[in-house]
Amino acid sequence: MQLHFSPSTRSITICNSSNNNGGFGESMKIKLASPRISYRTLFYTILILAVFLPFVFILTALVTLEGVNKCSSFGCIGRRLGPTFLGRTDDSSQRLVKDLVKVLNQVNSEEVPQGLKLPESFHHLVSEMKSNKYDAKQFALIVKGMMERSEREIRESKFSELMNKHFAASAIPKGIHCLSLRLTDEYSSNAHARRQLPSPELLPLLVDNSYHHFVLPTDNILAASVVVASTVQSSLEPEKIVFHVITDKKTYAGMHSWFALNPMSPAIVEVKGVHQFDWLTRENVPVLEAVDNHNVIRKYYGNHVAGANLSNITPRIFASKLQARNPKYISLLNHLRIFLPELFPNLDKVVFLDDDVVIQLDLSPLWEIDLNGKVNGAVETCRGDDEWVMSKRFKTYFNFSHPLIAKNLNPDECAWAYGMNIFDLRAWRGTTIRDTYHSWIKENLKSNLTLWKLGTLPPALIAFKGHVHPIDPSWHLLGLGYQNMTKIEDVQKAAVIHYNGQSKPWLEIGFEHLRPFWTKYVNYSNEFIQNCHILE
């Protein structure tokens, strides 16, 4: 008997092979029912099993490794992994987290023991954990101690950086000192360096109010050269410019030599020393004598961190305290601006410039601004896009916890900028600005310098109160010497850019991307600059 399956497996034929002729004998055909499962269904079933079974194997292995052996596979999977898929943890994990938080809270309120040995680094911590079995609290204390140590080191490093920056800003660079010495020597040996400034025929122009008069007090010859050169080169009418450069006695010869040997024609430059103003003596100006001789002042400058508890002070406040102790704030040159009406009795209007500014546009329109009877045309510093620089109000400069300050001043009153100011000297002469300035400096000395940080702006803010006319901020861009976030586009379009702050462009600590706006006006081909190695 033989069985024959049809190709579709839907029928079977049974044959009797007893026929001698080799053919089939009697046969019977049986038809089978259609299969219940299609090939497609079978294929997908096998595919799903191929994917799912390894997954089940892995989950079962994980459950086994976790020590769950007394439950069915799917029961363990559901109980162990279900909460994880839903973003939750089981009871043991929750207890672990709660215990950890409890230990951290406990350690947070405790002091790290003095004798606790702290690993030098995270690598050492891991090594010690392998050899020493710490409990949770001891481990948390060690980590806290390491974090506190790191914070102290970072803080000390920051204060050290600020102190070094303060000394760098207060010191005179070797090149600038060399320039002053060489020019002073030239003054004594070269008749051209001693020639009269300006020439005799131009002397009447020094008091001619049809000219544009600039006043520049400074003892920095290189900085003065940049201010004058940038003003003249940016002017549309340089022949109408008169510069009155005022310096101290020790720098006078060198300053005179520079402008005698490097004339800024067609502009007119006058160089005078404070010793050449007969009335400007400490006997006639008692406040300056008091500032110079006051014991509190001497003590203030004897210790750069006097009264500063570094554990309770932020680096920013510390930097501000250091800057306030810059010796320039007790310099006679720094107080000269309050005597402008007496220094130039024949002039009606002047533009005052600090020596850390650069002039980029023609300033002649400043003389056309109507100050509406005010004395001081200045840029206000309490509003503007740059919140770091243009956010200065009276509370920035004064100690309003002092009753004298709280009684007389408004903390929210807008401050204004020194460094580029238009002064109407005629209007000024009818006021008591200078007397007010002197009286408040005396009050600050009586109060042991507790009314404000030492400087000329705070007493000027009081003295010029009610006498300031705001001018457009585009005339005077500040902050290039104490922050480097100023947009280059704003620098490029400003009429006057001011490197107020410690990072002067002639110092190594100056900001590199802001320095070229200043160095472009340095005459690097000059033999004195080359000999003193003042390099571009």
Side-chain angles (χ1 to χ4, degrees), residues 289-330:
E289 183 179 10
V291 169
D292 196 31
N293 297 327
H294 200 279
N295 289 331
V296 175
I297 296 290
R298 292 183 177 276
K299 183 179 179 181
Y300 191 81
Y301 283 96
N303 185 349
H304 288 275
V305 292
N309 184 353
L310 298 186
S311 63
N312 297 321
I313 191 174
T314 65
R316 181 176 178 181
I317 294 177
F318 182 69
S320 179
K321 287 179 176 292
L322 285 176
Q323 186 172 350
R325 294 170 191 243
N326 193 312
K328 73 174 186 178
Y329 291 126
I330 57 173

Side-chain angles (χ1 to χ4, degrees), residues 460-480:
L461 290 175
I462 303 176
F464 283 99
K465 198 171 182 297
H467 298 289
V468 178
H469 177 77
I471 62 175
D472 193 281
S474 63
W475 283 111
H476 189 186
L477 180 67
L478 299 112
L480 277 67

Side-chain angles (χ1 to χ4, degrees), residues 412-429:
D412 294 321
E413 186 167 346
C414 189
W416 45 268
Y418 253 162
M420 197 290 291
N421 304 82
I422 317 161
F423 288 117
D424 186 334
L425 301 185
R426 288 181 301 177
W428 190 338
R429 294 185 183 100

Side-chain angles (χ1 to χ4, degrees), residues 279-297:
W279 64 272
L280 195 59
T281 63
R282 276 167 168 65
E283 291 74 20
N284 294 332
V285 188
V287 170
L288 295 181
E289 183 179 10
V291 169
D292 196 31
N293 297 327
H294 200 279
N295 289 331
V296 175
I297 296 290

